[in-house]
Coordinates of all heavy atoms in Angstrom, one line a residue:
M1 N -15.5 8.1 -3.5 CA -15.8 8.4 -4.9 C -15.1 7.3 -5.8 O -14.0 7.0 -5.6 CB -15.3 9.8 -5.3 CG -15.4 10.0 -6.8 SD -14.8 11.6 -7.3 CE -13.0 11.4 -7.2
I2 N -15.8 6.8 -6.7 CA -15.3 5.9 -7.7 C -15.5 6.5 -9.1 O -16.6 6.9 -9.4 CB -15.9 4.5 -7.6 CG1 -15.7 3.9 -6.2 CG2 -15.4 3.6 -8.6 CD1 -16.4 2.6 -6.0
R3 N -14.5 6.5 -9.9 CA -14.6 7.0 -11.2 C -14.2 5.9 -12.2 O -13.2 5.3 -12.0 CB -13.7 8.3 -11.5 CG -14.2 9.5 -10.7 CD -13.4 10.7 -11.2 NE -12.0 10.4 -11.2 CZ -11.1 11.1 -11.9 NH1 -11.6 12.0 -12.8 NH2 -9.9 10.8 -11.9
F4 N -14.9 5.8 -13.3 CA -14.6 4.8 -14.3 C -14.4 5.6 -15.6 O -15.3 6.4 -16.0 CB -15.6 3.8 -14.5 CG -15.8 2.8 -13.3 CD1 -16.7 3.1 -12.3 CD2 -15.0 1.7 -13.3 CE1 -16.8 2.2 -11.3 CE2 -15.1 0.8 -12.2 CZ -16.0 1.1 -11.2
L5 N -13.4 5.3 -16.3 CA -13.2 5.8 -17.7 C -13.0 4.7 -18.6 O -12.1 3.8 -18.4 CB -12.0 6.8 -17.7 CG -12.0 8.0 -16.8 CD1 -10.6 8.6 -16.8 CD2 -13.1 8.9 -17.2
Q6 N -13.7 4.6 -19.7 CA -13.6 3.5 -20.6 C -13.1 4.0 -21.9 O -13.6 5.0 -22.5 CB -15.0 2.9 -20.8 CG -15.0 1.7 -21.7 CD -14.7 0.4 -21.0 OE1 -15.0 0.3 -19.8 NE2 -14.2 -0.5 -21.6
S7 N -12.0 3.4 -22.4 CA -11.5 3.9 -23.7 C -12.4 3.3 -24.8 O -13.2 2.4 -24.6 CB -10.1 3.4 -23.9 OG -10.1 2.0 -24.3
L8 N -12.3 3.8 -26.0 CA -13.1 3.3 -27.1 C -12.8 1.8 -27.4 O -13.6 1.1 -28.0 CB -12.8 4.1 -28.4 CG -13.2 5.6 -28.3 CD1 -12.7 6.3 -29.5 CD2 -14.7 5.7 -28.1
F9 N -11.6 1.3 -27.0 CA -11.2 0.0 -27.3 C -11.4 -1.0 -26.2 O -10.9 -2.1 -26.3 CB -9.8 0.0 -27.8 CG -9.6 0.9 -29.0 CD1 -9.1 2.2 -28.9 CD2 -10.0 0.5 -30.3 CE1 -9.0 3.0 -30.0 CE2 -9.9 1.3 -31.4 CZ -9.4 2.6 -31.2
G10 N -12.0 -0.6 -25.1 CA -12.3 -1.6 -24.1 C -11.3 -1.6 -22.9 O -11.6 -2.2 -21.9
A11 N -10.2 -0.9 -22.9 CA -9.3 -0.9 -21.8 C -10.0 0.0 -20.7 O -10.7 1.0 -21.0 CB -8.0 -0.3 -22.2
M12 N -9.8 -0.4 -19.5 CA -10.5 0.3 -18.5 C -9.6 1.0 -17.5 O -8.6 0.4 -17.1 CB -11.5 -0.6 -17.7 CG -12.3 0.1 -16.7 SD -13.6 -0.9 -15.9 CE -14.7 -1.0 -17.3
L13 N -9.9 2.2 -17.1 CA -9.1 2.9 -16.0 C -10.1 3.1 -14.9 O -11.2 3.6 -15.2 CB -8.6 4.2 -16.6 CG -8.0 5.2 -15.6 CD1 -6.7 4.7 -15.1 CD2 -7.9 6.5 -16.2
F14 N -9.8 2.8 -13.7 CA -10.6 3.1 -12.6 C -9.8 3.8 -11.5 O -8.6 3.6 -11.4 CB -11.4 1.9 -12.1 CG -10.5 0.8 -11.6 CD1 -10.0 0.7 -10.3 CD2 -10.1 -0.2 -12.5 CE1 -9.1 -0.3 -9.9 CE2 -9.3 -1.2 -12.1 CZ -8.8 -1.3 -10.8
A15 N -10.5 4.7 -10.8 CA -9.8 5.4 -9.7 C -10.7 5.5 -8.5 O -11.9 5.7 -8.6 CB -9.4 6.8 -10.2
F16 N -10.1 5.2 -7.4 CA -10.8 5.3 -6.1 C -10.1 6.3 -5.2 O -8.9 6.3 -5.1 CB -10.7 3.9 -5.3 CG -11.3 2.8 -6.1 CD1 -10.5 2.0 -6.9 CD2 -12.6 2.5 -5.9 CE1 -11.1 0.9 -7.5 CE2 -13.2 1.4 -6.5 CZ -12.4 0.6 -7.4
S17 N -10.9 7.2 -4.7 CA -10.3 8.2 -3.7 C -11.0 8.0 -2.4 O -12.2 7.8 -2.4 CB -10.3 9.6 -4.2 OG -11.6 10.1 -4.3
V18 N -10.3 8.2 -1.3 CA -10.9 8.1 0.0 C -10.7 9.4 0.7 O -9.6 9.8 0.8 CB -10.3 6.9 0.8 CG1 -10.9 6.8 2.2 CG2 -10.5 5.6 0.0
C19 N -11.7 9.9 1.3 CA -11.7 11.1 2.1 C -10.9 12.3 1.4 O -9.8 12.7 1.9 CB -11.1 10.8 3.5 SG -12.1 9.7 4.4
A20 N -11.3 12.7 0.3 CA -10.8 13.9 -0.4 C -9.3 13.8 -0.5 O -8.5 14.7 -0.1 CB -11.2 15.1 0.4
G21 N -8.8 12.8 -1.2 CA -7.4 12.8 -1.6 C -6.4 12.1 -0.6 O -5.2 12.1 -0.8
E22 N -6.9 11.4 0.4 CA -6.0 10.7 1.3 C -5.3 9.6 0.6 O -4.1 9.4 0.7 CB -6.7 10.2 2.5 CG -7.1 11.2 3.5 CD -7.8 10.6 4.7 OE1 -7.7 9.4 4.9 OE2 -8.5 11.4 5.4
V23 N -6.1 8.8 -0.2 CA -5.6 7.6 -0.9 C -6.2 7.7 -2.3 O -7.4 7.8 -2.5 CB -5.9 6.3 -0.2 CG1 -5.5 5.1 -1.1 CG2 -5.4 6.2 1.2
L24 N -5.4 7.5 -3.3 CA -5.9 7.4 -4.7 C -5.3 6.1 -5.3 O -4.1 6.0 -5.4 CB -5.5 8.6 -5.5 CG -6.0 8.6 -7.0 CD1 -7.5 8.6 -7.0 CD2 -5.5 9.8 -7.7
L25 N -6.1 5.2 -5.7 CA -5.7 4.0 -6.4 C -6.2 4.1 -7.9 O -7.3 4.5 -8.1 CB -6.4 2.8 -5.8 CG -6.1 2.5 -4.4 CD1 -7.0 1.3 -3.9 CD2 -4.6 2.1 -4.2
I26 N -5.2 3.9 -8.8 CA -5.6 3.9 -10.2 C -5.3 2.5 -10.7 O -4.2 2.0 -10.5 CB -4.8 4.9 -11.0 CG1 -5.1 6.3 -10.5 CG2 -5.0 4.8 -12.5 CD1 -4.4 7.4 -11.2
G27 N -6.3 1.9 -11.4 CA -6.1 0.6 -11.9 C -6.4 0.5 -13.4 O -7.3 1.3 -13.9
T28 N -5.8 -0.3 -14.1 CA -6.1 -0.6 -15.5 C -6.3 -2.1 -15.7 O -5.9 -2.9 -14.9 CB -5.0 -0.1 -16.4 OG1 -3.7 -0.7 -16.0 CG2 -4.9 1.4 -16.5
A29 N -7.1 -2.4 -16.7 CA -7.4 -3.8 -17.0 C -7.6 -4.0 -18.5 O -8.0 -3.1 -19.2 CB -8.6 -4.3 -16.2
D30 N -7.4 -5.2 -19.0 CA -7.8 -5.6 -20.3 C -7.1 -4.7 -21.4 O -7.8 -4.4 -22.4 CB -9.3 -5.6 -20.5 CG -9.9 -6.7 -19.6 OD1 -9.3 -7.7 -19.4 OD2 -11.0 -6.4 -19.1
L31 N -5.9 -4.4 -21.2 CA -5.2 -3.6 -22.3 C -4.8 -4.5 -23.4 O -4.6 -4.0 -24.5 CB -3.9 -2.9 -21.7 CG -4.3 -1.9 -20.6 CD1 -3.0 -1.4 -19.9 CD2 -5.0 -0.7 -21.2
H32 N -4.6 -5.7 -23.2 CA -4.3 -6.7 -24.3 C -3.2 -6.4 -25.2 O -3.2 -6.5 -26.4 CB -5.6 -7.0 -25.1 CG -6.7 -7.6 -24.4 ND1 -6.7 -8.9 -24.0 CD2 -7.8 -7.1 -23.8 CE1 -7.8 -9.2 -23.3 NE2 -8.5 -8.1 -23.2
G33 N -2.1 -5.8 -24.6 CA -0.9 -5.6 -25.3 C -1.0 -4.5 -26.3 O 0.0 -4.4 -27.1
N34 N -2.0 -3.7 -26.3 CA -2.1 -2.7 -27.3 C -1.7 -1.3 -26.8 O -2.4 -0.7 -26.0 CB -3.6 -2.6 -27.8 CG -3.8 -1.8 -29.0 OD1 -3.1 -0.8 -29.2 ND2 -4.6 -2.3 -29.9
L35 N -0.5 -0.9 -27.2 CA 0.1 0.3 -26.7 C -0.8 1.5 -27.2 O -0.8 2.6 -26.5 CB 1.5 0.5 -27.1 CG 2.5 -0.4 -26.4 CD1 3.9 -0.3 -27.0 CD2 2.6 0.0 -24.9
E36 N -1.4 1.4 -28.3 CA -2.2 2.5 -28.9 C -3.4 2.8 -27.9 O -3.7 3.9 -27.6 CB -2.7 2.2 -30.3 CG -3.5 3.3 -30.9 CD -3.9 3.0 -32.3 OE1 -3.2 2.2 -33.0 OE2 -4.9 3.6 -32.7
N37 N -4.0 1.7 -27.5 CA -5.1 1.8 -26.5 C -4.6 2.5 -25.2 O -5.2 3.4 -24.6 CB -5.7 0.5 -26.1 CG -6.5 -0.1 -27.2 OD1 -6.8 0.6 -28.3 ND2 -7.0 -1.3 -27.1
F38 N -3.4 2.0 -24.7 CA -2.9 2.5 -23.5 C -2.5 4.0 -23.6 O -2.6 4.7 -22.7 CB -1.7 1.7 -23.1 CG -1.2 1.9 -21.7 CD1 -2.0 1.8 -20.7 CD2 0.2 2.2 -21.5 CE1 -1.6 1.9 -19.4 CE2 0.6 2.3 -20.2 CZ -0.3 2.2 -19.1
S39 N -2.1 4.4 -24.8 CA -1.8 5.8 -25.0 C -2.9 6.8 -24.8 O -2.7 7.9 -24.4 CB -1.2 6.1 -26.4 OG -2.2 5.9 -27.4
Y40 N -4.2 6.3 -24.9 CA -5.3 7.1 -24.6 C -5.5 7.3 -23.1 O -6.0 8.3 -22.7 CB -6.6 6.5 -25.2 CG -6.6 6.5 -26.7 CD1 -6.6 5.3 -27.4 CD2 -6.7 7.7 -27.4 CE1 -6.6 5.3 -28.8 CE2 -6.8 7.7 -28.8 CZ -6.7 6.5 -29.5 OH -6.7 6.5 -30.8
L41 N -5.1 6.3 -22.3 CA -5.3 6.3 -20.9 C -4.1 7.0 -20.2 O -4.3 7.6 -19.1 CB -5.4 4.9 -20.3 CG -6.7 4.2 -20.8 CD1 -6.6 2.7 -20.3 CD2 -7.9 4.8 -20.4
A42 N -2.9 6.9 -20.8 CA -1.7 7.4 -20.1 C -1.8 8.9 -19.7 O -1.3 9.2 -18.6 CB -0.5 7.2 -21.0
P43 N -2.3 9.8 -20.5 CA -2.4 11.2 -20.0 C -3.2 11.4 -18.8 O -2.9 12.1 -17.9 CB -3.0 11.9 -21.2 CG -2.7 11.1 -22.4 CD -2.7 9.7 -21.9
E44 N -4.3 10.6 -18.7 CA -5.1 10.7 -17.5 C -4.4 10.1 -16.3 O -4.4 10.7 -15.2 CB -6.4 9.9 -17.7 CG -7.5 10.1 -16.6 CD -8.0 11.5 -16.5 OE1 -8.0 12.2 -17.5 OE2 -8.5 11.8 -15.4
I45 N -3.7 9.0 -16.5 CA -3.0 8.4 -15.4 C -1.9 9.3 -14.9 O -1.6 9.4 -13.7 CB -2.4 7.0 -15.8 CG1 -3.5 6.0 -16.1 CG2 -1.4 6.4 -14.8 CD1 -3.1 4.8 -16.9
S46 N -1.2 9.9 -15.8 CA 0.0 10.8 -15.4 C -0.4 12.0 -14.7 O 0.4 12.7 -14.1 CB 0.8 11.1 -16.6 OG 0.1 11.9 -17.5
K47 N -1.7 12.4 -14.6 CA -2.2 13.5 -13.9 C -2.1 13.3 -12.4 O -2.2 14.2 -11.6 CB -3.7 13.8 -14.2 CG -3.9 14.4 -15.6 CD -5.4 14.6 -15.8 CE -5.7 15.1 -17.2 NZ -7.1 15.3 -17.4
Y48 N -1.9 12.0 -12.0 CA -1.9 11.7 -10.5 C -0.6 10.9 -10.2 O -0.6 9.7 -9.9 CB -3.1 10.8 -10.2 CG -4.4 11.4 -10.6 CD1 -5.0 11.1 -11.8 CD2 -5.0 12.4 -9.9 CE1 -6.2 11.6 -12.3 CE2 -6.2 13.0 -10.3 CZ -6.8 12.6 -11.5 OH -8.0 13.2 -11.9
P49 N 0.5 11.7 -10.1 CA 1.8 11.0 -9.8 C 1.9 10.3 -8.5 O 2.6 9.4 -8.3 CB 2.8 12.1 -10.0 CG 2.0 13.4 -9.7 CD 0.6 13.1 -10.2
Q50 N 1.1 10.8 -7.5 CA 1.2 10.2 -6.2 C 0.2 9.0 -6.0 O 0.2 8.4 -4.9 CB 0.9 11.3 -5.1 CG 1.9 12.4 -5.1 CD 3.3 12.0 -4.9 OE1 3.6 11.1 -4.1 NE2 4.2 12.6 -5.7
A51 N -0.6 8.7 -7.0 CA -1.5 7.6 -6.8 C -0.8 6.2 -6.8 O 0.3 6.1 -7.4 CB -2.5 7.6 -8.0
I52 N -1.4 5.3 -6.2 CA -1.0 3.9 -6.3 C -1.5 3.3 -7.6 O -2.8 3.3 -7.8 CB -1.4 3.1 -5.1 CG1 -0.8 3.7 -3.8 CG2 -1.0 1.6 -5.2 CD1 -1.4 3.1 -2.5
K53 N -0.7 2.8 -8.5 CA -1.1 2.4 -9.8 C -1.0 0.9 -9.9 O 0.0 0.3 -9.6 CB -0.3 3.0 -10.9 CG -0.4 4.6 -10.9 CD 0.7 5.2 -11.8 CE 0.7 6.7 -11.6 NZ 1.4 7.1 -10.3
I54 N -2.1 0.2 -10.3 CA -2.2 -1.2 -10.4 C -2.7 -1.6 -11.7 O -3.7 -1.0 -12.2 CB -3.1 -1.7 -9.3 CG1 -2.7 -1.3 -7.9 CG2 -3.3 -3.2 -9.3 CD1 -3.7 -1.4 -6.8
D55 N -2.2 -2.7 -12.3 CA -2.8 -3.3 -13.5 C -3.3 -4.6 -13.1 O -2.6 -5.4 -12.5 CB -1.8 -3.4 -14.7 CG -2.5 -4.0 -15.9 OD1 -3.2 -3.2 -16.6 OD2 -2.4 -5.2 -16.1
I56 N -4.5 -4.9 -13.4 CA -5.1 -6.2 -13.0 C -5.3 -7.3 -14.0 O -6.1 -8.2 -13.9 CB -6.5 -5.9 -12.3 CG1 -7.5 -5.3 -13.2 CG2 -6.3 -5.1 -11.0 CD1 -8.9 -5.2 -12.7
G57 N -4.5 -7.2 -15.1 CA -4.3 -8.3 -15.9 C -4.6 -8.1 -17.4 O -5.1 -7.1 -17.8
D58 N -4.3 -9.1 -18.2 CA -4.4 -9.2 -19.6 C -3.7 -8.1 -20.4 O -4.1 -7.7 -21.4 CB -5.9 -9.1 -20.0 CG -6.7 -10.3 -19.6 OD1 -6.1 -11.4 -19.3 OD2 -7.9 -10.3 -19.5
F59 N -2.5 -7.7 -19.9 CA -1.7 -6.7 -20.6 C -0.8 -7.4 -21.6 O -0.3 -6.7 -22.5 CB -1.0 -5.8 -19.7 CG 0.2 -6.4 -19.0 CD1 1.5 -6.4 -19.5 CD2 0.1 -7.0 -17.7 CE1 2.5 -6.9 -18.9 CE2 1.1 -7.5 -17.0 CZ 2.4 -7.5 -17.6
V60 N -0.6 -8.7 -21.5 CA 0.3 -9.3 -22.5 C -0.5 -10.0 -23.6 O -0.1 -9.9 -24.8 CB 1.2 -10.4 -21.8 CG1 2.0 -11.2 -22.8 CG2 2.1 -9.7 -20.8
Q61 N -1.6 -10.6 -23.3 CA -2.3 -11.4 -24.4 C -2.9 -10.4 -25.4 O -3.2 -9.3 -25.1 CB -3.3 -12.3 -23.8 CG -4.5 -11.6 -23.2 CD -5.5 -12.6 -22.6 OE1 -5.1 -13.6 -22.1 NE2 -6.7 -12.3 -22.7
G62 N -3.1 -10.9 -26.6 CA -3.9 -10.2 -27.6 C -3.0 -9.7 -28.7 O -3.0 -10.4 -29.8
D63 N -2.2 -8.7 -28.6 CA -1.4 -8.1 -29.6 C -0.2 -9.1 -29.9 O 0.5 -9.4 -29.0 CB -0.9 -6.7 -29.2 CG -0.1 -6.1 -30.3 OD1 -0.7 -5.6 -31.3 OD2 1.1 -6.1 -30.2
F64 N 0.0 -9.5 -31.1 CA 1.0 -10.4 -31.5 C 2.4 -10.0 -31.0 O 3.2 -10.7 -30.5 CB 1.0 -10.8 -33.0 CG 2.2 -11.7 -33.4 CD1 2.1 -13.0 -33.1 CD2 3.3 -11.2 -33.9 CE1 3.1 -13.9 -33.4 CE2 4.4 -12.0 -34.3 CZ 4.2 -13.4 -34.0
D65 N 2.8 -8.7 -31.3 CA 4.1 -8.2 -31.0 C 4.3 -8.2 -29.5 O 5.4 -8.6 -29.0 CB 4.3 -6.8 -31.5 CG 4.3 -6.7 -33.0 OD1 4.8 -7.7 -33.6 OD2 4.0 -5.7 -33.6
C66 N 3.3 -7.9 -28.7 CA 3.4 -7.9 -27.3 C 3.6 -9.4 -26.7 O 4.4 -9.6 -25.9 CB 2.2 -7.3 -26.6 SG 2.5 -6.9 -24.9
V67 N 2.8 -10.3 -27.3 CA 2.9 -11.7 -26.9 C 4.3 -12.2 -27.2 O 4.9 -12.9 -26.4 CB 1.8 -12.6 -27.5 CG1 2.0 -14.0 -27.2 CG2 0.4 -12.1 -27.0
Y68 N 4.7 -12.0 -28.4 CA 6.0 -12.5 -28.9 C 7.2 -11.9 -28.1 O 8.2 -12.6 -27.8 CB 6.2 -12.1 -30.4 CG 7.5 -12.6 -31.0 CD1 7.6 -14.0 -31.3 CD2 8.6 -11.8 -31.3 CE1 8.7 -14.5 -31.9 CE2 9.7 -12.3 -31.8 CZ 9.8 -13.7 -32.1 OH 10.9 -14.2 -32.7
S69 N 7.1 -10.7 -27.6 CA 8.1 -10.1 -26.7 C 7.9 -10.3 -25.2 O 8.6 -9.7 -24.4 CB 8.3 -8.7 -27.0 OG 7.1 -8.0 -26.6
C70 N 6.9 -11.2 -24.9 CA 6.6 -11.5 -23.5 C 6.2 -10.2 -22.7 O 6.5 -10.1 -21.5 CB 7.8 -12.2 -22.8 SG 8.2 -13.7 -23.5
G71 N 5.5 -9.3 -23.4 CA 4.9 -8.1 -22.8 C 5.9 -7.0 -22.5 O 5.5 -6.0 -21.9
L72 N 7.1 -7.1 -23.0 CA 8.1 -6.1 -22.8 C 7.7 -4.6 -23.1 O 7.9 -3.7 -22.3 CB 9.4 -6.4 -23.5 CG 10.6 -5.5 -23.1 CD1 10.9 -5.5 -21.6 CD2 11.8 -5.9 -23.9
P73 N 7.0 -4.4 -24.3 CA 6.6 -3.0 -24.6 C 5.6 -2.5 -23.5 O 5.7 -1.3 -23.1 CB 5.9 -3.1 -25.9 CG 6.4 -4.3 -26.5 CD 6.7 -5.3 -25.4
M74 N 4.7 -3.3 -23.1 CA 3.7 -2.9 -22.0 C 4.4 -2.6 -20.7 O 4.1 -1.7 -20.0 CB 2.6 -3.9 -21.9 CG 1.7 -4.0 -23.1 SD 0.8 -2.5 -23.4 CE -0.2 -2.3 -22.0
L75 N 5.4 -3.5 -20.3 CA 6.1 -3.3 -19.1 C 6.9 -2.0 -19.1 O 7.0 -1.3 -18.1 CB 7.0 -4.5 -18.8 CG 6.3 -5.8 -18.4 CD1 7.3 -7.0 -18.4 CD2 5.6 -5.7 -17.1
E76 N 7.5 -1.7 -20.2 CA 8.2 -0.4 -20.4 C 7.2 0.8 -20.2 O 7.6 1.7 -19.5 CB 8.9 -0.4 -21.7 CG 10.1 -1.3 -21.8 CD 10.7 -1.4 -23.2 OE1 10.1 -0.9 -24.1 OE2 11.8 -2.0 -23.3
A77 N 6.0 0.7 -20.8 CA 5.1 1.7 -20.6 C 4.6 1.8 -19.1 O 4.5 3.0 -18.6 CB 3.8 1.5 -21.5
F78 N 4.4 0.7 -18.5 CA 4.0 0.7 -17.1 C 5.1 1.3 -16.2 O 4.9 2.1 -15.3 CB 3.7 -0.7 -16.6 CG 2.4 -1.2 -17.1 CD1 2.3 -2.5 -17.5 CD2 1.2 -0.5 -17.1 CE1 1.1 -3.1 -17.9 CE2 0.0 -1.0 -17.5 CZ 0.0 -2.3 -17.9
N79 N 6.4 1.0 -16.5 CA 7.5 1.6 -15.8 C 7.6 3.1 -16.0 O 7.9 3.8 -15.1 CB 8.8 0.9 -16.2 CG 8.9 -0.5 -15.6 OD1 8.3 -0.8 -14.5 ND2 9.7 -1.3 -16.2
E80 N 7.3 3.5 -17.2 CA 7.4 4.9 -17.5 C 6.3 5.7 -16.7 O 6.6 6.8 -16.2 CB 7.1 5.2 -19.0 CG 7.2 6.6 -19.4 CD 8.7 7.1 -19.4 OE1 9.6 6.3 -19.6 OE2 8.8 8.3 -19.3
L81 N 5.2 5.1 -16.4 CA 4.1 5.7 -15.6 C 4.3 5.4 -14.2 O 3.4 5.8 -13.4 CB 2.8 5.3 -16.2 CG 2.4 5.9 -17.5 CD1 1.1 5.2 -18.1 CD2 2.2 7.4 -17.4
K82 N 5.3 4.7 -13.8 CA 5.6 4.3 -12.4 C 4.5 3.5 -11.7 O 4.0 3.8 -10.6 CB 5.9 5.6 -11.6 CG 7.2 6.3 -12.1 CD 7.5 7.5 -11.3 CE 8.8 8.1 -11.7 NZ 8.9 8.8 -12.8
Y83 N 4.1 2.4 -12.4 CA 3.1 1.5 -11.8 C 3.7 0.8 -10.6 O 4.9 0.6 -10.6 CB 2.7 0.5 -12.9 CG 1.4 0.8 -13.6 CD1 1.4 1.9 -14.4 CD2 0.3 0.1 -13.4 CE1 0.2 2.3 -15.1 CE2 -0.9 0.4 -14.0 CZ -0.9 1.5 -14.9 OH -2.1 1.8 -15.5
D84 N 2.9 0.5 -9.6 CA 3.3 -0.1 -8.4 C 3.1 -1.6 -8.3 O 3.8 -2.3 -7.6 CB 2.6 0.6 -7.2 CG 2.9 2.1 -7.1 OD1 4.0 2.4 -6.9 OD2 1.9 2.9 -7.3
L85 N 2.1 -2.1 -9.0 CA 1.7 -3.5 -8.8 C 1.0 -4.0 -10.1 O 0.3 -3.3 -10.8 CB 0.7 -3.6 -7.7 CG 0.1 -5.0 -7.3 CD1 1.2 -5.8 -6.7 CD2 -1.0 -4.8 -6.3
F86 N 1.4 -5.3 -10.4 CA 0.7 -6.0 -11.5 C 0.1 -7.3 -10.9 O 0.7 -8.0 -10.1 CB 1.8 -6.5 -12.6 CG 2.5 -5.3 -13.1 CD1 3.8 -5.0 -12.7 CD2 2.0 -4.6 -14.1 CE1 4.5 -4.0 -13.2 CE2 2.7 -3.5 -14.7 CZ 3.9 -3.2 -14.2
V87 N -1.1 -7.6 -11.4 CA -1.8 -8.9 -11.0 C -1.9 -9.7 -12.2 O -2.4 -9.3 -13.2 CB -3.2 -8.5 -10.3 CG1 -3.9 -9.8 -9.9 CG2 -3.0 -7.6 -9.2

């Protein structure tokens, strides 16, 4: 099963599950440093604490504050949700 959830602002959350819960991968993309966008996805992500969480890019570029701080606000949010991998 593959599920896609699209926020109103373009950030994407995708989840893959294999054989009824054996493996769950959750990925995000194109957050562009916007914590407000990420806040819409965070409740859905936090429903699956055992999932492998991956961000596949563009979390720093875009928002001036995030770029200026080298992505620190986004990294703190990812750490709070216990992300496993960044690409």
